[in-house]
Amino acid sequence: MSIRHFLTLRDLSSEELRKLVRRASELKAIRNRGEIYEPLKNRVMSMIFEKSSTRTRVSFEAGMAQFGGHAMFLSPRDTQLGRGEPISDSARVISSMVDVVMIRTFSHQLVEEFAAHSSVPVINALTDEYHPCQLLADMQTYFEHRGDIQGKTVTWIGDGNNMCHSYINAARQFDFKLKIACPEGFDPDPELVAENQSRVLITRSPEEAVTDSDLVVTDVWASMGQEEEQKEREMKFADFQVSPSLMDKANSDAIFMHCLPAHRGEEISEDMLEDPRSVVFDEAENRLHAQKALLEFLLVK
Ligand code: CP
Ligand code: NVA
């Protein structure tokens, strides 16, 4: 059987994604019962991080350990990756020694190139364009709190960034409507929007976007790699803060998510994470369970 990679949500079918999200909740229950389940004994994952991370590193490393396997942290600073060894050579070498490779980097093309030369599954753990692992956790969290997301309305507030792009893919794969409120000049990729125009709507008004919404999501105004734009973005995004009063305009059972890390006083008000509608810490924990389901899907036949 040919290798499966997970570079975007489009690499799995809708049915596979749905099963994976349900499986994530089962794996969570297994762990909560204290049962040992080690389907990846003696298996090794390389984790290549070119950007910082707390959740992604901890969840993948803990997940591999709980599954009986091992995770290896690789930084470009102390491997030949940082000294210009071609991606194709690195991919051939690393994949000849391990069972799965996870990469967090800037260019999405780099992950595609690595996957093209890898003999084992490659997982995108965030690029400038997509963050599909986060969406697995977000979907699991919605299913656990409110049931199936099919036919629901989701609102994205803020930058048309990697998370927003993955929400567009999720709208297609999980069949929901996505309203995006972003300042002019910060729209998501127009091609991706055009491909999904029956489901995706862009507006400049956060109030309009949250009306009739079942799930409200936001993210930082300046992503990793955009630090020098922070000040300019703070001005341009000033009207795009999610607060309990903005949430009041959504449906009465709407919930709030944020992939974290969050900047209180910027994209969210000081009190938003503690609001009863916020499920962000369940969402963060679900990174562990959702990625274990992904590893099981990719590695256990
Ligand atoms: N949400 C997320 O990916 O967090 P980290 O950057 O801490 O991994
Ligand atoms: N959009 C953010 C997500 C962090 C998990 C970034 O790329 O920095």
Side-chain angles (χ1 to χ4, degrees):
M1 218 176 107
S2 64
I3 331 161
R4 302 286 298 270
H5 299 296
F6 185 62
L7 307 190
T8 76
L9 289 175
R10 304 273 291 269
D11 287 330
L12 268 63
S13 69
S14 298
E15 201 188 323
E16 286 171 332
L17 286 169
R18 281 175 169 278
K19 272 199 197 156
L20 200 153
V21 164
R22 302 271 187 210
R23 179 63 181 154
S25 296
E26 285 172 18
L27 290 170
K28 185 177 186 171
I30 289 173
R31 177 157 186 271
N32 287 345
R33 288 197 297 267
E35 283 172 33
I36 306 290
Y37 174 57
E38 296 184 326
L40 298 186
K41 239 183 157 70
N42 300 319
R43 311 288 279 278
V44 179
M45 171 163 70
S46 276
M47 308 189 296
I48 301 171
F49 279 98
E50 286 205 83
K51 289 180 175 176
S52 304
S53 166
T54 296
R55 279 142 289 268
T56 304
R57 178 172 178 186
V58 174
S59 54
F60 270 117
E61 200 163 327
M64 278 304 286
Q66 289 163 15
F67 267 178
H70 177 78
M72 170 202 299
F73 177 82
L74 297 176
S75 137
R77 274 182 300 281
D78 29 54
T79 59
Q80 302 291 3
L81 281 161
R83 295 182 62 249
E85 181 167 9
I87 297 303
S88 52
D89 292 352
S90 302
R92 284 176 68 179
V93 172
I94 294 170
S95 68
S96 72
M97 301 183 196
V98 304
D99 301 280
V100 56
V101 179
M102 181 235 86
I103 309 178
R104 167 170 286 198
T105 188
F106 295 85
S107 143
H108 191 74
Q109 242 185 319
L110 185 151
V111 179
E112 288 177 335
E113 194 185 341
F114 195 104
H117 295 92
S118 171
S119 54
V120 300
V122 174
I123 296 171
N124 172 9
L126 183 144
T127 61
D128 288 344
E129 282 174 62
Y130 294 102
H131 193 7
C133 290
Q134 183 68 49
L135 261 291
L136 296 179
D138 286 21
M139 292 300 102
Q140 180 193 348
T141 309
Y142 191 88
F143 277 64
E144 287 178 349
H145 280 268
R146 294 286 183 267
D148 204 322
I149 201 161
Q150 182 169 33
K152 301 284 183 186
T153 298
V154 177
T155 300
W156 175 265
I157 307 271
D159 193 15
N161 63 11
N162 45 9
M163 275 296 298
C164 180
H165 291 157
S166 284
Y167 260 95
I168 296 175
N169 279 343
R172 179 191 188 106
Q173 299 289 58
F174 287 89
D175 190 21
F176 57 79
K177 188 173 159 192
L178 180 65
K179 295 200 273 179
I180 299 169
C182 50
E184 216 163 335
F186 297 92
D187 287 7
D189 176 10
E191 250 178 62
L192 190 62
V193 173
E195 274 176 41
N196 295 284
Q197 56 182 344
S198 60
R199 286 196 180 79
V200 177
L201 182 97
I202 297 186
T203 159
R204 304 290 168 223
S205 159
E207 288 75 18
E208 192 185 310
V210 297
T211 304
D212 300 323
S213 183
D214 301 296
L215 166 63
V216 178
V217 195
T218 191
D219 187 11
V220 290
W221 290 340
S223 284
M224 289 181 276
Q226 297 173 333
E227 288 77 8
E228 73 291 352
E229 296 172 32
Q230 176 68 29
K231 285 286 154 230
E232 179 203 339
R233 283 172 174 259
E234 277 175 26
M235 288 187 304
K236 294 192 168 150
F237 284 81
D239 296 334
F240 290 78
Q241 184 182 81
V242 181
S243 62
S245 63
L246 184 68
M247 287 297 294
D248 289 344
K249 297 186 168 61
N251 285 343
S252 57
D253 63 347
I255 52 177
F256 169 74
M257 293 191 201
H258 187 312
C259 63
L260 303 178
H263 293 186
R264 290 170 176 82
E266 292 180 27
E267 78 276 3
I268 51 160
S269 60
E270 296 289 341
D271 50 355
M272 190 58 237
L273 293 192
E274 308 312 324
D275 186 275
R277 290 163 289 191
S278 163
V279 295
V280 295
F281 293 103
D282 289 344
E283 179 190 3
E285 182 194 320
N286 281 340
R287 292 292 303 278
L288 171 68
H289 312 298
Q291 288 157 200
K292 283 168 77 178
L294 175 65
L295 289 167
E296 186 186 51
F297 173 84
L298 294 173
L299 299 178
V300 184
K301 301 293 171 213

